[in-house]
Amino acid sequence: MPFDAHQARRELRRAIPILRQHGLRQSAKFCAEQLIGLNGDGSGPITSQPPPAPSRAQQTLALLERGEPSDAFLLAGTFFDLGEYARAAVALTEASDRGAPLPAAAPHEDAAPRDVFLWAYALYLAGEKRKEETVAETRDASAKSRVGNPYAAGLRDVLVARRRRGQLQGLGAYALGVVLKELARGRAPLPTPLGPGLDDDGAEKVEEEDDARDARAALAEATETFPWNWSAWLDLAAVDAKDAPTASLPMDEDQAARQAAIDDGGALSHDDGPAGASEDLVRACARAHNDIERQRCEAALATLRRCHGCSQSAWVLAAEALAHYARRDFDQARDCFEALRERDPFRLDDLDVYSNVLYVQEARAELSRLAHAATRCEKYRPETCCVVGNYYSLKAQHERAVLYFRRALRLDRTCLSAWTLMGHEYIEMKNTAAAIEAYRRAVDVNGRDYRAWYGLGQTYEILNMYFYALYYYRKAAVLRPRDARMWIAIAQCYEKLNRDDDAIKGYERAAQHDDQEGHALLKLARLHRGRASHDEAFACYAHYARLHNDTDAADLGDATAEALLYLATAHKKSERYDEAQQCLGRLLDYPGPEKLEAQAMLREIRALVDPASSVPADVMGDL
C-alpha cells in the first residue's frame, strides 16, 4: 500500500515525547526532523479501511504511553537533564537500597518499564563519565585502551536477570544492548600484523564474541520493538562495524532475521505486515545509513531517492551528501551541503564532512567563510573545531590545525573526524608515532573507517615497514574494494618488496576500478617494460596515452611524454610510421628532453619513408 504521510506524522508525534522522557535526545531530534520533512500536515482525511493489527512496535508505543510517570521518575529526569547521572539512578532505587553500592541497588521488581530503563541508562552514562575521567588522568596509552565502564558488568547481570523473568519491557532491550556493546568494546584489542593479542587459552576472545553477539541480538530486538529509537539503529550499525574488515560473527536464524531489518530491509512500504508508516521510513533511513557505512553508496542513494518521495527532512539531504562524499563525487556532495546550509544555516551536524569536501577542492575562501559561520554559531562543538582545523591545514599551518583537532577531542573523545584528520596532520609534520596513535584511536572508534586503515598503511610505508603497511592497506581495500587508490598502495608495497607478480596483480585490480588518472596503467607499463614484456607494456602505455589524449601538448606531463615516446619507438620498429609520427607530433611542443628525441626520431622516420628526400637540419629543428 502507498506511504501514508498522515499516519507517519501521528506515529512520530507519539514517539518524540516518549524519547525525550527517556533521555534519548538525539533520537528525539531525528524523529522531529523526519516529522518536519514529511509532506502534508496530518490533517487530511482518514482512510476508511480497517486498521491493521498492531505491530510489536505499536504495542510498545502504547505500553510506554500508559500510566502517569512516578514521582521518582520525574525527580530522576531532572537530575538526568542536569547531567547528574549517578544521582538520577539512585533516585529510582528503593529507599532501603540507596546506600548500597551501584549497580546492586536497582528499582523494585514491579517498577514501570520507563523507570527501569532510565535507571539503567543513567547508570551506564555515569559509568561512561567515570571512564572518560580515568582516561584523562591516565598517561600510559596502552592503559587508556583498557579502561572500561565500571558499572557495565553489574548492569548486564541485573538486566539479563530481569529479561529472563520477563520484566525487561519497553526500551529495556536497548539499555541491555548498549551495555553489552560497551563490554565487547572494552575487551576487543586492535588488530595488528603480529596477531590479535589474545591469551593462550582464547577465553578473552570467546567472552568478547559472546558479548558482541548478544549485543547485536539485543539491539536488533530494540529496533524491532521501538524502531523510532534512532540511537538503537546507530549502535547496531556500530556493532557490525567493529568486525567489518574480518568475517562477521555467526548468527542463528532468529538473529539473522532481526539483522535483516538493518542490513537488507527498509522499503518505504510493505505489501503485507502490520508495520506503521513511520516505522518504514525510519527503517529506510537506517538502511541508507548502513549502506553509507559499508561504502555501498549506490544502494544508499537509491534508498534516499525513495525517501525523498515522502520526506524532505534535513537528515535525508545530509545522508545524500554523505553518500556522494563517500563515493568521491565532491561536486554533488558540495551542492547537497550548500542546499542543506541554505535550509538550516545553524545545523552543525556533518559540517566537518563539508569542510573535508572544501579542503579537497582547495576552496580556501569558502572554507574560511564556513569556519567563521560555524564559530559564530557554536564555538565549542567538535564539528566547529574540525572545520577550523581543516582551514588551518589548508593554509599549511599544521601545528594550529592539531590544536583545534585536540580541542574537538576534549569535547568528544569519540569524534572520528578529529582522530583521522589529526593523524593526517602528524603525517605532514613527520611525527609518525603520533600519527599511528591517532589512526589507531580512529579505528577503535569505527572499524569501518577506511581512511584510518589507509593512514596506518601510509605511516608504516613511510617507516619502510612494508609488511605492516600491507596489512593495513588490505584492511582498507576490504572496505573500499572498488577504490583504485587502495590497490595501488598495495601494489606499491609489493613492488618495494620485489614481489613483481603480486604488484602486477594489484595494479591490474586498480586499473579495473575507476583509475581515472591512469596511475596504475603507468606503473603496470613500467613493470612490464622492466620484465621485457613489451606487448603488455605497449598495451598499458597505449591505454594511458588515450586517457590523456585531450591534453594540450604544452601541458603534457613527464609520464605522458614517456608513454608517447615508447609507443613511437614500438611503432617505428613495427614499421607503422604514420602512428609513430602521430605520437611524435604531440611531443614537438613539449618542453622536456623528449622533444629532442622526438625530433631525431622524426628525421629517421622521414629518411626511412622517403630516402631520396633530404630535409635540412635547420628546417627539421624548427618543427
Side-chain angles (χ1 to χ4, degrees), residues 578-599:
D578 290 340
E579 291 86 344
Q581 287 177 330
Q582 290 177 2
C583 294
L584 295 170
R586 294 181 59 189
L587 291 171
L588 293 179
D589 292 329
Y590 181 66
E594 286 82 1
K595 175 180 178 179
L596 299 178
E597 296 183 46
Q599 291 174 343

Side-chain angles (χ1 to χ4, degrees), residues 46-271:
I46 305 299
T47 177
S48 58
Q49 297 178 354
S55 65
R56 188 177 180 185
Q58 297 288 340
Q59 293 172 357
T60 305
L61 190 62
L63 171 68
L64 294 175
E65 289 177 325
R66 190 181 307 153
E68 293 292 329
S70 64
D71 295 344
F73 182 86
L74 294 175
L75 177 62
T78 60
F79 294 152
F80 188 95
D81 292 338
L82 293 172
E84 301 180 52
Y85 302 121
R87 193 179 180 191
V90 171
L92 288 164
T93 60
E94 296 186 74
S96 59
D97 292 337
R98 288 182 181 172
L102 297 175
H108 190 268
E109 294 291 336
D110 299 329
R114 64 168 68 92
D115 291 18
V116 176
F117 172 81
L118 191 60
W119 167 80
Y121 193 52
L123 197 54
Y124 165 78
L125 292 179
E128 290 294 294
K129 195 173 182 179
R130 179 75 62 83
K131 180 180 73 174
E132 291 300 323
E133 293 169 353
T134 306
V135 168
E137 296 168 358
T138 304
R139 295 182 178 273
D140 184 14
S142 61
K144 286 183 178 182
S145 63
R146 293 192 297 269
V147 176
N149 189 316
Y151 302 138
L155 267 174
R156 176 196 56 193
D157 296 339
V158 173
L159 293 174
V160 168
R162 284 181 175 266
R163 187 181 191 182
R164 288 171 181 165
R165 295 194 298 266
Q167 297 172 343
L168 199 63
Q169 298 175 322
L171 298 177
Y174 175 63
L176 177 59
V178 295
V179 169
L180 292 171
K181 173 174 170 280
E182 165 60 20
L183 288 172
R185 186 213 66 82
R187 292 194 183 94
L190 179 69
T192 65
L194 300 179
L198 302 177
D199 296 336
D200 292 338
D201 58 359
E204 187 175 354
K205 179 66 174 177
V206 172
E207 200 169 352
E208 172 206 338
E209 290 182 355
D210 289 342
D211 284 335
R213 184 168 56 249
D214 292 343
R216 182 184 290 111
L219 291 169
E221 181 183 352
T223 60
E224 182 182 350
T225 55
F226 201 82
W228 303 278
N229 182 7
W230 182 243
S231 298
W233 294 104
L234 297 182
D235 285 326
L236 179 56
V239 169
D240 286 340
K242 194 171 194 60
D243 298 317
T246 58
S248 299
L249 294 172
M251 293 187 293
D252 56 32
E253 293 182 1
D254 182 55
Q255 291 170 330
R258 292 172 182 170
Q259 178 63 18
I262 189 171
D263 197 22
D264 299 318
L268 284 181
S269 62
H270 292 284
D271 294 333

Side-chain angles (χ1 to χ4, degrees), residues 262-400:
I262 189 171
D263 197 22
D264 299 318
L268 284 181
S269 62
H270 292 284
D271 294 333
D272 53 6
S278 62
E279 295 178 51
D280 295 333
L281 176 59
V282 175
R283 283 189 168 87
C285 291
R287 179 182 179 182
H289 168 81
N290 205 43
D291 283 338
I292 293 171
E293 285 289 301
R294 292 175 181 270
Q295 305 296 320
R296 299 189 301 213
C297 302
E298 295 297 334
L301 289 171
T303 302
L304 291 170
R305 279 193 289 270
R306 293 198 299 273
C307 289
H308 272 302
C310 60
S311 176
Q312 301 293 328
S313 70
W315 187 92
V316 173
L317 186 57
E320 185 178 351
L322 293 176
H324 286 300
Y325 172 75
R327 59 184 253 179
R328 299 184 62 79
D329 190 352
F330 297 123
D331 291 333
Q332 288 287 343
R334 183 172 177 177
D335 291 342
C336 291
F337 276 120
E338 288 175 353
L340 187 61
R341 291 278 299 158
E342 184 177 353
R343 175 186 297 184
D344 190 353
F346 289 92
R347 188 181 194 273
L348 296 180
D349 297 344
D350 305 315
L351 210 62
D352 52 331
V353 180
Y354 184 27
S355 70
N356 292 342
V357 173
L358 298 177
Y359 179 91
V360 170
Q361 295 186 332
E362 298 184 359
R364 180 177 295 185
E366 290 80 0
L367 187 53
S368 175
R369 286 194 290 269
L370 182 65
H372 282 92
T375 303
R376 285 194 302 269
C377 177
E378 192 169 347
K379 186 175 182 179
Y380 295 106
R381 269 280 293 266
E383 294 87 352
T384 300
C385 296
C386 289
V387 171
V388 178
N390 266 335
Y391 171 69
Y392 283 118
S393 178
L394 190 58
K395 294 179 66 177
Q397 298 182 19
H398 303 297
E399 292 82 0
R400 296 195 69 177

